[in-house]
Amino acid sequence: GWLSFSNGLQKFNGKNFENIPIQQGLPDDKNLNMALSDAGEIYFLSSENISWYNADKNKFIIIYHSNNNKISSTYFLGELNQILYFFFADKTIIGLKKTDYQKVFEISLNPEIPFSENLITGVVAADKLLFNYGNNLFSLSPKNKSIQVVRCIY
């Protein structure tokens, strides 16, 4: 298992926790969000990068870099049809094709929706991704390139 704290990234090897330092492919090691794909691949999400951990080669590979330095957090929404969907704090959602990590989808929430620091969680339902942000539950339809508010949560 993996843990990420303000003092760094650690991996449990079955007996002990091993500190994982900043290295090529992993430019940040503090307070990372982590995501697990349907096939069990692990991704590390920092404020500017998404890194994939290649367990066979024991190395990290940056699969996405954001040039927006205002991003504070990145969250994994889910995987749908071999595309990984990520939510950035600037309210942008991107989709990366799992085979080559090319960006194949991008959409933004309505700018009138207030910023929220609440944890973003997502779930796949049929051909849509449902996720919460702030006081709202959203439905993302990649096929229709649309986002709808499903429910206001108070």
Side-chain angles (χ1 to χ4, degrees):
W2 296 83
L3 298 170
S4 181
F5 299 102
S6 60
N7 62 342
L9 180 64
Q10 296 182 337
K11 181 180 179 185
F12 186 67
N13 65 16
K15 288 186 174 187
N16 300 305
F17 284 95
E18 173 187 354
N19 289 322
I20 308 298
I22 291 174
Q23 57 192 277
Q24 185 173 347
L26 186 67
D28 191 0
D29 67 345
K30 294 177 179 41
N31 296 320
L32 302 173
N33 287 328
M34 292 172 258
L36 199 60
S37 74
D38 291 347
E41 295 120 347
I42 190 161
Y43 298 89
F44 294 87
L45 294 62
S46 70
S47 61
E48 294 180 357
N49 299 289
I50 300 171
S51 298
W52 166 57
Y53 176 67
N54 183 327
D56 294 335
K57 296 182 180 180
N58 191 30
K59 69 184 251 184
F60 295 89
I61 300 166
I62 293 175
I63 62 166
Y64 184 78
H65 174 76
S66 172
N67 293 322
N68 184 352
N69 58 9
K70 293 181 182 176
I71 293 173
S72 61
S73 296
T74 306
Y75 299 95
F76 181 62
L77 294 181
E79 179 180 342
L80 185 61
N81 300 323
Q82 295 289 305
I83 298 174
L84 303 166
Y85 291 91
F86 298 93
F87 183 97
F88 294 95
D90 68 352
K91 300 186 260 182
T92 300
I93 298 167
I94 65 162
L96 302 178
K97 193 162 62 168
K98 237 175 109 174
T99 54
D100 58 9
Y101 299 114
Q102 293 298 310
K103 184 166 64 170
V104 295
F105 181 86
E106 185 170 347
I107 195 168
S108 295
L109 289 182
N110 183 328
E112 294 178 14
I113 294 170
F115 174 77
S116 173
E117 292 186 11
N118 293 350
L119 180 65
I120 309 298
T121 55
V123 64
V124 175
D127 62 344
K128 295 184 167 101
L129 287 161
L130 301 175
F131 65 95
N132 68 301
Y133 180 71
N135 293 325
N136 297 300
L137 179 64
F138 294 90
S139 173
L140 169 66
S141 173
K143 182 179 178 182
N144 298 331
K145 294 186 178 180
S146 65
I147 300 175
Q148 295 179 345
V149 176
V150 177
R151 183 174 160 214
C152 293
I153 305 166
Y154 293 100

